[in-house]
Amino acid sequence: NMGRMYGPGKGMAASSLPYRRSAPGWLKVSSRDLVKKVVEMARKGMMPSMIALTMRDSMGVGQIKAVTGRKIVRILKAHGQAPELPEDLFCLIRRAVSMRKHLDRHRKDMDTKFRLILVESRIHRLARYYKRVRRLPPTFKYESANAASMVAQ
């Protein structure tokens, strides 16, 4: 697992999905309403994970796939709202950009310099995977010089 490779922790803590894959009986929201709400939130600029958190906290929908039969990114892709960069890659690039900005101000911060190397190696590995499964174009290349423009919002 990539998260454990670069950190000191060896924890196995994680929440597990319910055994039943169907929506709970008490959930009174239709699939069509949920899809509408997901697309509407994406238009406002929310990331898929934030959409899921909002749905869980405000509407009580634990698993959108259980209600709609499709995952959030697939719903967004069908409506032409899918993000151009996968969310995990986007977040790593955003983190690397903020670390570089920090290093511009604090040049002697060797710990951040080391962590930046780890984050960028994760970016390269993830980009290689996404090129292989064709989620990114084969011409995609992460370069620190133009990374800020990739995540600018």
Side-chain angles (χ1 to χ4, degrees), residues 1-15 88 92 118 121-122 125-126:
N1 188 338
M2 255 173 36
R4 305 236 171 76
M5 178 179 279
Y6 296 107
K10 291 178 174 55
M12 293 295 290
S15 59
D88 49 358
L92 281 173
L118 298 185
S121 63
R122 253 180 279 181
R125 179 191 290 181
L126 206 51

Side-chain angles (χ1 to χ4, degrees), residues 64-83:
I64 291 181
K65 188 179 182 220
V67 181
T68 63
R70 293 182 294 172
K71 295 181 179 181
I72 293 178
V73 177
R74 298 228 171 110
I75 292 170
L76 296 178
K77 203 175 277 185
H79 287 82
Q81 291 288 321

Side-chain angles (χ1 to χ4, degrees), residues 2 6 85-93 118-136 140 142:
M2 255 173 36
Y6 296 107
L85 280 178
E87 188 176 4
D88 49 358
L89 184 62
F90 179 85
C91 290
L92 281 173
I93 292 173
L118 298 185
V119 168
E120 287 188 337
S121 63
R122 253 180 279 181
I123 290 170
H124 291 302
R125 179 191 290 181
L126 206 51
R128 200 166 57 232
Y129 163 73
Y130 280 130
K131 282 183 199 173
R132 193 171 70 237
V133 297
R134 298 202 170 96
R135 274 285 277 115
L136 283 176
F140 177 85
Y142 169 78

Side-chain angles (χ1 to χ4, degrees), residues 34-52 54-55 64 71-84 87 153:
L34 210 54
V35 169
K36 256 191 234 170
K37 194 92 170 142
V38 166
V39 173
E40 182 185 309
M41 287 177 170
R43 282 206 182 102
K44 289 180 183 171
M46 286 176 96
M47 290 290 224
S49 62
M50 288 308 297
I51 292 173
T54 308
M55 290 296 192
I64 291 181
K71 295 181 179 181
I72 293 178
V73 177
R74 298 228 171 110
I75 292 170
L76 296 178
K77 203 175 277 185
H79 287 82
Q81 291 288 321
E84 63 273 358
E87 188 176 4
Q153 275 188 342

